[in-house]
Amino acid sequence: MRGDRRRDFNLLLGATLFYLAGPQLLMPLIVGFAGSLGAGEVLMGLAGGVMNIVALLCRPFAGNLADRVSKRTLTLAGTGVMTVAAAACVVATAPWMVVAARVLHGIGFAVCSVCLSTWLADLLPRNRMASGMGLYGTMTALGMAIGPALGVYLYQWVGYRWAFAAGAALTAVVPALTARVKSVGAPRGVPMPDPAAHGLHIRLLEPRVVPVALIMMLFTLPFTATQAFLVTLTEAQRLDVPVGLFFPIYAGVLLLVRFFLRRLFDRLSFRVFMACGLVCLACAMCALAAMHGWPLMVVGALGLTGSYGVMCTVCQATAMLLARPGGRALANGTFYVGIDLGMALGPLCGGFLFGHAPLGWFFPAFLLAIPAILAIYAWGRRGLAHL
């Protein structure tokens, strides 16, 4: 990439880190915070997952907008909404206020995730798409690891509300970074048809990307359930495990994996990465189920790095390559629908298991994702065979 494009690319990578770290800082705390305000197990799970339920509903509309409107404008709007949402958590006094704040988070999150990732992808040549999105994936992984780790630390040090204030401050950094990007993220390539002018319906999903989105959903489920309930589970089981180190370990290992695999992302097939991801997912769930000390916690973090962490990059790059001309944001939005489903259903499934099943079943239950992933790949393999 040339100088201006490289500078814009780096600024957008920084914005990606902060837009994710802000709301993700709340993720391991929001369940316990809702419980401290009087919420039951199911409502605790809803508080943990409602952000992604809302993001799921908003994502297709965000994808359509991002193919027609300046991505800078939409990103500024999305980060503004997320900053207000985090501030609302600071003053919440009842569980319904927490849920309402996370609804706002979901709206802003849907807009920012589609806009920033598509904006960044528009700066990449096609033959560098997977490696470039690998760098983007590294920033998303860092945001999703640093945010929760910082949240747990701040909660233990100064309590819930100051931690939520820090989440608002992190999100507020994004407009300062995107304002320096020279490219405004204008719609690129063949324009999408105007529904008003042609009497067409807005397309909510890119059919080519649906199998990839579903596979990503199933890799996301165990990760977000772990993210939301790891602290609560270890406290309930009275385990002497330094869970605050789980997410930094995940982030650090993922940085190394992404660095050493950066050239392979454009060379190896989707099927190879998926097979490795399934093995890593099985190892992670088994290790966390048997965890009684830090060694198996580390194995669990490594396993989730090789499953969710790597497949997030692989699936997103695949979605971009499957996109129709002028419809990259819609394809990206479809990919994020899978992530949203996993992030919404993960805490909800976790809440159900935590409240209605023996604690020892929590992690093994998510092994059911493995045969489901294989079934979806078999259904959509024709479109993925050449990637």
Side-chain angles (χ1 to χ4, degrees):
M1 289 187 291
R2 295 181 178 179
D4 286 346
R5 283 201 167 197
R6 180 172 284 108
R7 177 179 176 276
D8 286 354
F9 185 85
N10 290 334
L11 285 169
L12 291 177
L13 285 179
T16 297
L17 174 65
F18 284 99
Y19 108 82
L20 267 166
Q24 292 300 318
L25 183 150
L26 279 67
M27 182 62 77
L29 308 180
I30 209 72
V31 169
F33 181 58
S36 73
L37 296 179
E41 289 87 355
V42 175
L43 188 55
M44 288 167 64
L46 179 62
V50 70
M51 182 187 92
N52 298 99
I53 295 173
V54 173
L56 169 66
L57 298 175
C58 294
R59 190 83 70 184
F61 302 99
N64 277 277
L65 277 174
D67 279 325
R68 296 177 172 86
V69 181
S70 162
K71 296 173 184 65
R72 175 181 287 165
T73 300
L74 291 176
T75 300
L76 290 174
T79 51
V81 170
M82 286 200 294
T83 303
V84 170
C89 287
V90 175
V91 298
T93 56
W96 70 265
M97 297 176 69
V98 178
V99 173
R102 294 298 273 176
V103 167
L104 289 177
H105 255 139
I107 296 170
F109 188 77
V111 171
C112 288
S113 56
V114 170
C115 287
L116 282 171
S117 56
T118 308
W119 195 355
L120 189 144
D122 285 345
L123 298 173
L124 295 169
R126 184 177 176 86
N127 65 345
R128 297 291 302 277
M129 184 64 68
S131 55
M133 294 312 292
L135 290 173
Y136 169 80
T138 299
M139 289 299 105
T140 62
L142 278 173
M144 295 183 74
I146 291 173
L150 180 61
V152 171
Y153 173 75
L154 289 174
Y155 158 66
Q156 294 172 341
W157 184 37
V158 293
Y160 285 118
R161 297 185 190 276
W162 282 106
F164 298 158
L170 289 174
T171 306
V173 173
V174 177
L177 293 174
T178 55
R180 299 179 61 198
V181 177
K182 290 188 176 181
S183 167
V184 298
R188 178 184 178 188
V190 180
M192 298 291 284
D194 182 359
H198 296 82
L200 299 175
H201 295 291
I202 293 177
R203 293 168 58 207
L204 299 181
L205 297 173
E206 171 54 71
R208 301 179 183 186
V209 182
V210 168
V212 176
L214 292 175
I215 289 171
M216 194 64 241
M217 176 195 74
L218 291 166
F219 274 109
T220 306
L221 270 170
F223 178 81
T224 53
T226 301
Q227 187 183 53
F229 279 90
L230 186 61
V231 172
T232 306
L233 278 168
T234 53
E235 289 178 352
Q237 294 177 301
R238 298 180 181 177
L239 298 177
D240 185 18
V241 179
V243 290
L245 295 177
F246 183 90
F247 297 107
I249 291 170
Y250 167 85
V253 174
L254 187 58
L255 277 174
L256 294 175
V257 168
R258 290 259 169 79
F259 176 78
F260 287 110
L261 295 183
R262 66 191 187 281
R263 300 186 185 280
L264 296 179
F265 282 129
D266 287 310
R267 297 177 183 175
L268 297 182
S269 68
F270 181 89
R271 180 174 58 186
V272 170
F273 282 110
M274 188 189 73
C276 294
L278 291 175
V279 172
C280 290
L281 177 58
C283 291
M285 294 299 100
C286 292
L288 291 173
M291 179 177 64
H292 289 287
W294 67 265
L296 286 178
M297 183 197 75
V298 172
V299 174
L302 295 177
L304 287 176
T305 300
S307 57
Y308 172 82
V310 171
M311 286 305 297
C312 196
T313 293
V314 172
C315 288
Q316 187 163 30
T318 301
M320 295 294 189
L321 294 174
L322 291 171
R324 302 170 195 267
R328 184 171 281 172
L330 181 61
N332 201 22
T334 304
F335 160 78
Y336 274 113
V337 165
I339 290 239
D340 289 334
L341 280 169
M343 287 188 168
L345 295 175
L348 288 175
C349 292
F352 176 81
L353 290 169
F354 182 73
H356 297 89
L359 296 182
W361 291 12
F362 188 92
F363 292 109
F366 289 102
L367 292 173
L368 293 173
I370 294 175
I373 289 170
L374 292 172
I376 292 170
Y377 179 78
W379 165 60
R381 68 182 181 278
R382 181 174 298 177
L384 298 171
H386 65 288
L387 297 174

